[in-house]
Structure formats: C-alpha cells, structure tokens
C-alpha cells in the first residue's frame, strides 16, 4: 500500500513522472551544475573582472544543460519533443520573432523619447560603440535559448500532461514572472508585464508548434532594450549604443527596472499578440 501511494505521488495514471517533479528536477540539476561550473571557473586564470563576465554565461549554460539532461533521463525524449526542432525548419519563425521583438522595443523607445519621458545622454549623432554591442548579443542569445527551453519548452510540455493547455500556459508564465522576483527594482507592474510576456511567448509556442519564434523575440527584445537603446533590462545595468540620461513618468517608462516595468510596454505587448495572431504558420510540420 505504501509503495502504491508513493508511486501515485511521483507518477500519474499514464506512468509519466508528474509535471511538478519534472520541473523541480530541472531546477535541482541547474543548481548543481551552476555550483560545479562556478567552482571550475574559479580555478581558471581569469582575474576578477573576467570572472564577473563569465558568471552570467555559467548560469545560462547550466540552465540549457539541465533541461537537456532532464529531457533525456526523465522524459526519455529528444529536444524536438519540446519544440526545439532543427533550425532549417524553424528559421522563418525565428526571423519573425527577431523582427517583432526589435520593432516593438524600437516603438517603445520612440514613443518615450517623442513624449519626453526619456532623455539621451549621448544623442543620436554620438553613438557609443563598445564590446558590449557583440558581447551583449552573445549573452542574450544564451538567455533566449535557456529561458525559452525551460519555461516554454520544458515547463509547458510537462504541464500539458494535465490535459489542460490553459494551465500549462498560465503556470509556465507565472513561473517565468516569479523567476524575476529578485531582480533589482522589480515592481508589481513589472512582474505583471513579465507574466504577460510569458503569455505572449506561450502563444507563439502554441501557434508555431516550436520554440524558434519565442527564442527570436526574447533575444531581440532584450538586446535592443539594453544594448541598443540603453534601457535597464529587468533591472540590470545597461550598456547601449545610446544611453538614457534621465527618465520621467516611471508609470509609463518603467524607471530603473526598464520598459518592462511600465504601462507602455503593457499596451505594446497587445500589439505583439495581434502580430502573432496575424502571422501565417506552415500547415505542414516536419
């Protein structure tokens, strides 16, 4: 009887590991990998400054590996099971995601600048070219892959075991929002917006039936936000081609958290849902 009860606790009626345990397993593997890779990095002759730049990559790489390990060992599935199909099959969706993220963030910047909610420190005629232009792109590529593979690919696929798509969408989006709870200057509106972004990513995933559109959007949204226009990205310090000198109207601009913490982003995310709704998907799947 005890064995049967324990079995029901960890395994559902279809003999699949319950979704909650799957998600928890990825988080545990991620923590262990981060600790191991972090200790290995400490023994490398990097110096304090280079070590500090390596830390974010350790976290994202650990996340990607944790998902792949759990998918292989617990689910006994391949990456395409969670929507990570071959790039040649998803390149159209990836480009659409890149363009949508870049256009929406550019619109946010243009509106805030046009209404005097932000002021530039260096002006349009004096862009700041630095290594952050390419290093930031590399980092946000890792971020896009890591977070979409976990929150959309793995979490949504695991939660869909319940047979309730709405639960998979809202549950993964809520986890996505809560993961940003410890970010600097996070507010209720910022967390609400990140939840809405999670819903948008989930919609992209469900419509295209792969991860490439949300990955593309995630990369360009963050990159244009921080490394092009110089906004804080979810509270983190920006290094942009253009840099924001002052911010007015925190309710609309998001203040020190970045545009994701403002009402303007809330409104323009609605345009993102419309763009995805209008996006023509391929009728056939590989």
């Amino acid at each position: 009887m005890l064995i049967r009860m324990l079995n029901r606790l960890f395994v559902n009626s279809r003999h699949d590991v319950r979704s909650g345990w799957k998600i928890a397993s990825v988080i545990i593997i991620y923590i262990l990998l981060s600790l191991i890779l972090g200790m290995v990095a400490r023994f490398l002759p990097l110096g304090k400054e280079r070590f500090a730049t390596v830390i974010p990559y350790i976290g994202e790489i650990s996340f990607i590996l944790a998902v792949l390990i759990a998918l292989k060992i617990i689910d006994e599935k391949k990456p395409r099971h969670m929507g990570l199909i071959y790039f040649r099959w998803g390149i159209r969706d990836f480009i659409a995601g890149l363009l949508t993220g870049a256009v929406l963030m550019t619109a946010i910047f243009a509106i805030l600048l046009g209404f005097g909610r932000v002021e530039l420190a260096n002006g349009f005629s004096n862009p700041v070219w630095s290594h952050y232009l390419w290093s930031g792109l590399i980092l946000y590529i890792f971020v896009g892959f890591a977070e979409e593979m976990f929150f959309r690919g793995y979490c949504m696929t695991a939660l869909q075991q319940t047979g309730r798509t709405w639960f998979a969408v809202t549950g993964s989006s809520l986890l996505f929002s809560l993961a940003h709870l410890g970010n600097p200057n996070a507010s209720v509106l910022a967390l609400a917006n990140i939840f809405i972004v999670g819903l948008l990513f989930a919609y992209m995933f469900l419509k295209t039936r792969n991860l490439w559109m949300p990955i593309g959007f995630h990369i360009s949204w963050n990159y244009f936000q921080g490394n092009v226009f110089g906004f804080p990205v979810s509270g983190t310090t920006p290094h942009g081609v253009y840099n924001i000198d002052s911010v007015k109207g925190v309710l609309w601009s998001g203040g020190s958290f970045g545009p994701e913490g403002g009402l303007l982003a809330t409104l323009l995310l609605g345009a993102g849902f419309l763009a995805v709704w209008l996006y023509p998907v391929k009728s056939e799947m590989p």
Side-chain angles (χ1 to χ4, degrees):
M1 179 66 73
L2 180 60
I3 295 176
R4 186 179 300 174
M5 289 177 61
L6 288 174
N7 187 55
R8 289 180 62 186
L9 177 64
F10 290 99
V11 180
N12 63 21
S13 59
R14 295 184 297 276
H15 305 290
D16 294 320
V17 176
R18 293 189 181 277
S19 54
W21 293 114
K22 286 184 176 183
I23 294 169
S25 297
V26 175
I27 294 171
I28 292 170
I29 296 170
Y30 160 72
I31 293 171
L32 292 174
L33 285 173
S34 296
L35 291 173
I36 293 169
L37 293 178
M39 287 188 291
V40 170
R42 286 186 180 276
F43 287 102
L44 299 175
L46 298 173
K48 289 185 178 180
E49 291 187 4
R50 287 188 178 181
F51 179 74
T53 61
V54 167
I55 290 297
Y57 293 93
I58 289 176
E60 304 308 329
I61 291 170
S62 298
F63 228 157
I64 292 171
L65 292 176
V67 170
L68 294 176
I69 290 170
L71 191 67
K72 178 68 174 179
I73 296 175
I74 299 174
D75 297 84
E76 298 181 339
K77 302 287 187 180
K78 295 182 178 180
R80 66 172 178 266
H81 173 73
M82 62 174 190
L84 196 62
I85 61 174
Y86 288 122
F87 184 62
R88 65 177 181 272
W89 295 335
I91 186 171
R92 175 174 170 269
D93 299 330
F94 180 69
I95 293 172
L98 285 174
L99 291 174
T100 306
V103 168
L104 288 183
M105 186 50 64
T106 301
I108 289 174
F109 173 75
I111 292 171
L112 290 176
L113 189 65
F115 281 90
R117 298 299 180 180
V118 297
E119 294 179 5
L120 293 180
N122 51 317
F124 282 110
S125 60
N126 296 298
V128 177
W129 307 109
S130 69
H131 70 88
Y132 290 108
L133 194 61
W134 60 264
S135 64
L137 178 59
I138 294 171
L139 176 60
Y140 286 130
I141 287 173
F142 276 100
V143 171
F145 272 89
E147 295 190 2
E148 293 313 306
M149 284 175 64
F150 177 63
F151 291 106
R152 255 58 61 182
Y154 197 83
C155 288
M156 279 191 64
T157 302
L159 291 171
Q160 280 182 317
Q161 290 180 178
T162 63
R164 294 173 293 207
T165 300
W166 68 266
F167 181 68
V169 170
T170 55
S172 62
S173 300
L174 181 60
L175 287 173
F176 184 55
S177 178
L178 292 176
H180 293 78
L181 188 61
N183 285 40
N185 307 303
S187 64
V188 173
L189 179 56
L191 295 176
N193 275 346
I194 291 174
F195 176 76
I196 294 171
V197 171
L199 294 178
L200 177 58
F201 288 153
Y203 182 32
M204 292 176 179
F205 179 44
L206 290 174
K207 177 151 189 181
T208 63
R209 290 167 288 172
N210 69 76
L211 285 172
W212 287 108
M213 181 181 279
I215 287 174
F217 186 104
H218 205 142
I219 292 169
S220 62
W221 173 270
N222 283 345
Y223 182 67
F224 273 74
Q225 185 174 189
N227 293 95
V228 176
F229 299 126
F231 288 113
V233 181
S234 300
T236 60
T237 304
H239 300 280
V241 173
Y242 298 102
N243 292 285
I244 305 300
D245 185 40
S246 63
V247 178
K248 302 173 185 177
V250 173
L251 182 63
W252 288 96
S253 66
S256 54
F257 188 82
E260 293 168 333
L263 280 177
L264 182 58
T266 312
L267 296 177
L268 287 206
L269 286 172
F273 281 96
L274 178 62
V276 177
W277 181 65
L278 294 172
Y279 179 70
V281 295
K282 295 179 180 179
S283 57
E284 74 283 354
M285 284 293 292

